Amino acid sequence: MSRHLASLDSHLPPALRDALARVVDVANSLELNVFVTGSTMRDSFAGMPPRELDLVVEGPVAKLRAALPDGVPAVISEACDERYPKPGGKPKLTPASIHEYLRSRD
């Protein structure tokens, strides 16, 4: 286990730790990659207990969302690439790797 994962695990409240383990189990069974991102990582790096799970998945998220117990604050997003065909228009979303997704973030 990496130093960062050990740090994250030690900072997660039990309900979030259990929910994350459940989501990771489902992701593994579906052969999907899931990444902890956003405020979960920020709070953990700052030494504070995260208040929610922010996750990004390389692939469809519906089954992972269904794996979360009720009442667990979480955001599960699909890694996607946003392209705007014209200014002010709706973005065209296509599935992406975590690297492409993070590169497109501001």
Side-chain angles (χ1 to χ4, degrees):
M1 178 183 297
S2 78
R3 174 177 89 237
H4 299 299
L5 287 178
S7 175
L8 174 64
D9 194 50
S10 69
H11 287 104
L12 281 176
L16 293 184
R17 186 177 25 241
D18 294 346
L20 179 58
R22 203 164 162 185
V23 167
V24 168
D25 286 344
V26 172
N28 287 338
S29 73
L30 297 170
E31 297 183 359
L32 296 173
N33 295 319
V34 62
F35 301 88
V36 180
T37 60
S39 66
T40 307
M41 292 305 296
R42 180 200 63 220
D43 292 348
S44 179
F45 284 141
M48 303 180 321
R51 295 176 302 234
E52 69 177 4
L53 291 176
D54 282 326
L55 307 172
V56 174
V57 179
E58 290 179 332
V61 300
K63 290 184 180 179
L64 297 181
R65 286 183 179 143
L68 280 173
D70 288 338
V72 173
V75 175
I76 303 178
S77 304
E78 183 176 339
C80 62
D81 183 36
E82 288 183 12
R83 301 287 173 154
Y84 291 85
K86 61 181 181 178
K90 291 185 178 182
K92 180 180 179 190
L93 303 175
T94 56
S97 71
I98 189 66
H99 298 289
E100 293 163 330
Y101 171 76
L102 292 173
R103 193 176 12 257
S104 73
R105 305 291 297 168
D106 50 1

